[in-house]
Amino acid sequence: MALVTAAELTQKASLGGYAVGAFNLNNMEILQAVINAAEEERSPVILQASQGGLSYAGIDYIVQMAKVAAENASVPVALNLDHGTSFEQAMECIRKGFSAVMVDGSHLPFEDNIALTKRVADVAQAVGVSVEAELGRIGGTEDDIVVSEAEALMTDPKEAVEFVERAKPDLLAIAIGTAHGVYKGVPRLDFQRLSAIREQVDVPLVLHGASGVSDDDIKKACKLGITKINIDTELRIAFSQAVRDTLAENPKEIDPRKILGPARDAMKQVVRAKMRLFGSSNKV
Ligand code: G3H
Ligand code: ZN
């Protein structure tokens, strides 16, 4: 199958009352872990690459790997730019074959975030690429984007209405108390805020910083209308723990396949469990 848009997958998810997982892609092992999990779970899936991921792997490798995976898959796959911060970055991804882009103008003043998002949306939507925007500011660290606790800002429901009307994104990432990276304490999600936004805004809503959020809270977020959930940190933890375990067991191992193979299996188990939790299993 060719790559599909994140809008298509999440609009279907909102009708079905589940969320589609979006997993960060940096190398072949992560890609295979995610795609094999999606096949085994019969689940739609969103692959995504951050700006850091693109500079690590190279945009051509990311696009071609995702295309090979999608073409060979029997489940629908989208390829999304994650936290793109400029018009130029979004355009490059569209030119190279991404089916979805996130333009993250959350560091900008409200009007400038609208202007940047609208500018990207006008071009992207004209060529069949969906656009995710962010309003409010999600805390924590996502590759090169660092937002301190003091800078983090919850999404204002009234602003969300105006933002979606004027900037016209296909999906909206909201800040309701989650953060990128490993949590220091227990994340507290503002479900009232989520409900208020859901009642007034009709585009699919995205939960970032979902690694480390309890299963109960994830289930509640899905029930209240979250239809795309981003996971990166839990894949990193599974990967690095498996590599550490393999090398601890056999410190003389030099075959990359024997080191990375178990890491790929560990990540696949994480992805499968997330798909079941998000309710996207057996939705294809
Ligand atoms: O954009 C990517 C995700 O928001 C990553 O969140 O650090 O909780 O896995 P995470
Ligand atoms: Zn994020």
Side-chain angles (χ1 to χ4, degrees), residues 24 48 82-83 141-142 179-181 183 207-211 230-234:
N24 283 72
Q48 53 186 14
D82 187 31
H83 293 285
T141 301
E142 169 82 16
H180 292 123
Y183 284 96
L207 188 69
H208 283 245
S211 293
N230 288 11
I231 299 284
D232 183 14
T233 299
E234 285 194 49

Side-chain angles (χ1 to χ4, degrees), residues 105-265:
S106 62
H107 55 291
L108 299 170
F110 185 64
E111 287 296 328
D112 296 353
N113 189 0
I114 290 180
L116 175 63
T117 303
K118 177 80 170 65
R119 199 169 160 221
V120 171
D122 281 345
V123 180
Q125 290 159 355
V127 295
V129 170
S130 64
V131 175
E132 175 180 338
E134 178 173 323
L135 184 67
R137 234 181 144 194
I138 295 154
T141 301
E142 169 82 16
D143 284 347
D144 48 352
I145 299 174
V146 181
V147 180
S148 70
E149 264 176 54
E151 289 170 320
L153 270 183
M154 295 279 204
T155 307
D156 179 282
K158 262 205 214 126
E159 278 192 355
V161 174
E162 186 183 343
F163 185 86
V164 168
E165 264 172 22
R166 292 177 55 201
K168 305 249 183 312
D170 299 286
L171 297 92
L172 184 67
I174 55 171
I176 56 167
T178 56
H180 292 123
V182 178
Y183 284 96
K184 288 186 204 107
V186 178
R188 276 188 215 300
L189 274 62
D190 186 342
F191 290 111
Q192 261 184 330
R193 188 176 296 272
L194 168 55
S195 301
I197 298 168
R198 178 68 299 160
E199 273 167 27
Q200 298 172 61
V201 167
D202 61 0
V203 296
L205 299 177
V206 184
L207 188 69
H208 283 245
S211 293
V213 175
S214 73
D215 287 3
D216 283 350
D217 279 359
I218 291 287
K219 278 188 204 150
K220 202 165 169 190
C222 292
K223 228 188 201 154
L224 294 175
I226 289 287
T227 48
K228 173 175 180 272
I229 301 183
N230 288 11
I231 299 284
D232 183 14
T233 299
E234 285 194 49
L235 293 185
R236 294 180 182 203
I237 293 171
F239 176 92
S240 51
Q241 192 55 54
V243 169
R244 268 193 287 271
D245 290 348
T246 302
L247 291 175
E249 246 169 64
N250 190 355
K252 293 213 168 89
E253 183 57 66
I254 60 158
D255 184 342
R257 296 166 297 185
K258 294 197 175 139
I259 300 168
L260 297 179
R264 180 174 59 185
D265 292 344

